[in-house]
Amino acid sequence: MSDPHDPEFEPPFNKLPVVVVILFLIMAGIEAVLTLGEAGLVGGPQAIGWRLALVRDWGFSGDIFDAMLAQGYWSWDNLARFVTYPFIHLSFTHALIAVVLMLALGKMAAEVMGQLAMLALFVVSGIVGALTYALVLDDPVWLVGGYPAIYGLIGGYSFLLWRKLAASGGQQVQAFTLIAMLMGLQLVWSLFATVGNGWVAELAGFVCGFGLSFLCAPGEWTRILGRLRQR
């Protein structure tokens, strides 16, 4: 067992950027309360309905977005759904996978691009994913889960790999191996079960994260400005 008084002892969260820890605490904290409620350990009998109530109150609905668009009335509580839906999940397993991916990819993005850039990738990709889901599809199924935002982090990872391969003379198409594999797995899984249309939001999140990295990656903005000045 590690001794906290040992000068070489480092709490595990010290190795994670603060923004990643905050996102973890929000995602894991919400899921912990919901899971404990469903197990009957907190909240009493009504806790069984907490998850559905959270989806209804804070999940993203294409139908609600369509209604706002048609009426021209943009209420703040419904606009908030663009940034709240990634923190709500359909089950413990759904949340667990999202949290693990966020920790790994978020740590990488924050360390390479900076914590604000990592947060921008996560939040903006989630917003773009939901917006695409609403505009492209006419799907009444509510969108929840951190995956569109996490796919934005995958976009950031792919961009960094793409740039590294370009510098080393490698095949840049290899940078898209991860997203191709994930989309392929979804396609295969759809042959055995109903996977829904969430992949549209996830793919949009990936594209957003990759594109946003042109502004967030170290030195990239300076490089773009230099090219514009040369013209």
Side-chain angles (χ1 to χ4, degrees), residues 137-189:
L137 303 173
D138 186 19
D139 194 333
V141 176
W142 292 59
L143 180 66
V144 292
Y147 295 94
I150 291 167
Y151 270 67
L153 298 179
I154 295 174
Y157 164 81
S158 299
F159 176 86
L160 294 174
L161 182 57
W162 177 77
R163 193 172 68 171
K164 181 179 179 181
L165 289 168
S168 63
Q171 294 287 333
Q172 287 180 274
V173 71
Q174 294 178 9
F176 303 101
T177 301
L178 179 57
I179 185 64
M181 181 186 69
L182 291 172
M183 289 291 106
L185 287 174
Q186 293 225 31
L187 178 61
V188 172
W189 184 246

Side-chain angles (χ1 to χ4, degrees), residues 42-222:
V42 298
Q46 65 270 23
I48 297 176
W50 281 354
R51 192 181 299 275
L52 288 178
L54 207 59
V55 171
R56 179 196 64 210
D57 295 338
W58 298 106
F60 181 81
S61 167
D63 287 344
I64 291 178
F65 176 82
D66 289 343
M68 289 194 296
L69 188 62
Q71 298 169 11
Y73 176 69
W74 305 93
S75 61
W76 285 107
D77 54 338
N78 283 325
L79 287 174
R81 297 174 185 272
F82 279 99
V83 293
T84 56
Y85 83 87
F87 300 100
I88 307 165
H89 294 86
L90 297 176
S91 67
F92 175 80
T93 303
H94 191 225
L96 178 63
I97 297 173
V99 167
V100 170
L101 289 173
M102 189 280 296
L103 287 173
L105 293 163
K107 182 177 186 294
M108 177 277 302
E111 290 177 346
V112 176
M113 299 185 184
Q115 298 195 55
L116 288 179
M118 178 269 165
L119 185 60
L121 285 177
F122 186 89
V123 174
V124 176
S125 296
I127 292 173
V128 170
L131 188 61
T132 304
Y133 183 83
L135 293 175
V136 173
L137 303 173
D138 186 19
D139 194 333
V141 176
W142 292 59
L143 180 66
V144 292
Y147 295 94
I150 291 167
Y151 270 67
L153 298 179
I154 295 174
Y157 164 81
S158 299
F159 176 86
L160 294 174
L161 182 57
W162 177 77
R163 193 172 68 171
K164 181 179 179 181
L165 289 168
S168 63
Q171 294 287 333
Q172 287 180 274
V173 71
Q174 294 178 9
F176 303 101
T177 301
L178 179 57
I179 185 64
M181 181 186 69
L182 291 172
M183 289 291 106
L185 287 174
Q186 293 225 31
L187 178 61
V188 172
W189 184 246
S190 68
L191 300 177
F192 303 97
T194 302
V195 298
N197 292 318
W199 66 270
V200 173
E202 293 163 3
L203 185 58
F206 170 83
V207 173
C208 176
F210 187 88
L212 198 58
S213 296
F214 280 93
L215 303 179
C216 296
E220 199 62 36
W221 181 238
T222 303

